[in-house]
């Protein structure tokens, strides 16, 4: 997955927005103001921080050591840093991004979830 594909994927979700609150290089993707992905799209290798259910985070780290690690500068129980260098299947990366978005949306008030078509 290229940086452009990762950016397009993150922005493809309902109400997803990109901003740069930390510096001009770090893209923060949010839904209704809540962070679901954080990345430097110019980094080599490309890495992205994604929210993850704690039990899945542990499993994914065990299945993909060195490619999925505890979230850098994030709550390590709920966030993973995923290396997107082509080693992990693109399908898995897409699922992890969508899962991160869904976890954040699940924490929104019900009315917001319904507006996003994610009850």
């Amino acid at each position: 997955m290229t940086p452009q594909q990762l950016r397009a994927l993150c922005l493809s979700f309902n109400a997803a927005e990109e901003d740069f609150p930390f510096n001009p290089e770090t893209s923060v993707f949010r839904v209704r103001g809540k962070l679901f992905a954080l990345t430097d799209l110019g980094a080599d290798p490309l890495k992205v921080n994604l929210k993850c259910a704690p039990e899945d985070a542990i499993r994914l780290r065990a299945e993909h050591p060195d490619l999925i690690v505890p979230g850098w500068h994030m709550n390590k129980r709920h966030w993973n840093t995923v290396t997107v260098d082509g080693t992990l299947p693109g399908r898995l990366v897409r699922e992890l991004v969508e899962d991160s978005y869904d976890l954040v949306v699940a924490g929104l008030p019900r009315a917001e979830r319904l507006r996003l078509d994610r009850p």
Side-chain angles (χ1 to χ4, degrees):
M1 181 174 291
T2 67
Q4 297 79 15
Q5 290 170 323
L6 178 60
R7 182 176 186 271
L9 174 62
C10 289
L11 291 173
S12 70
F13 300 107
N14 291 342
E17 297 176 337
E18 178 183 24
D19 67 347
F20 301 87
F22 305 116
N23 59 51
E25 294 82 33
T26 305
S27 294
V28 174
F29 296 95
R30 303 175 191 265
V31 55
R32 300 288 191 235
K34 303 290 185 183
L35 171 79
F36 72 90
L38 177 103
T39 185
D40 176 349
L41 292 170
D44 186 23
L46 178 61
K47 295 181 179 189
V48 60
N49 282 356
L50 299 169
K51 191 161 191 168
C52 192
E55 60 278 358
D56 292 334
I58 293 167
R59 178 183 53 79
L60 287 163
R61 293 170 195 165
E63 290 174 1
H64 307 282
D66 300 325
L67 295 173
I68 300 177
V69 297
W72 187 71
H73 282 285
M74 305 295 275
N75 179 325
K76 300 191 181 344
R77 184 166 187 249
H78 296 276
W79 289 85
N80 281 336
T81 297
V82 179
T83 301
V84 186
D85 65 356
T87 306
L88 290 173
R91 176 186 47 76
L92 175 60
V93 174
R94 284 189 294 278
E95 288 173 6
L96 294 173
V97 173
E98 184 171 7
D99 287 349
S100 181
Y101 174 86
D102 287 342
L103 281 168
V104 172
V105 168
L108 295 173
R110 185 172 188 275
E112 289 289 326
R113 291 193 314 267
L114 291 173
R115 273 181 258 182
L116 295 171
D117 197 28
R118 299 266 188 178

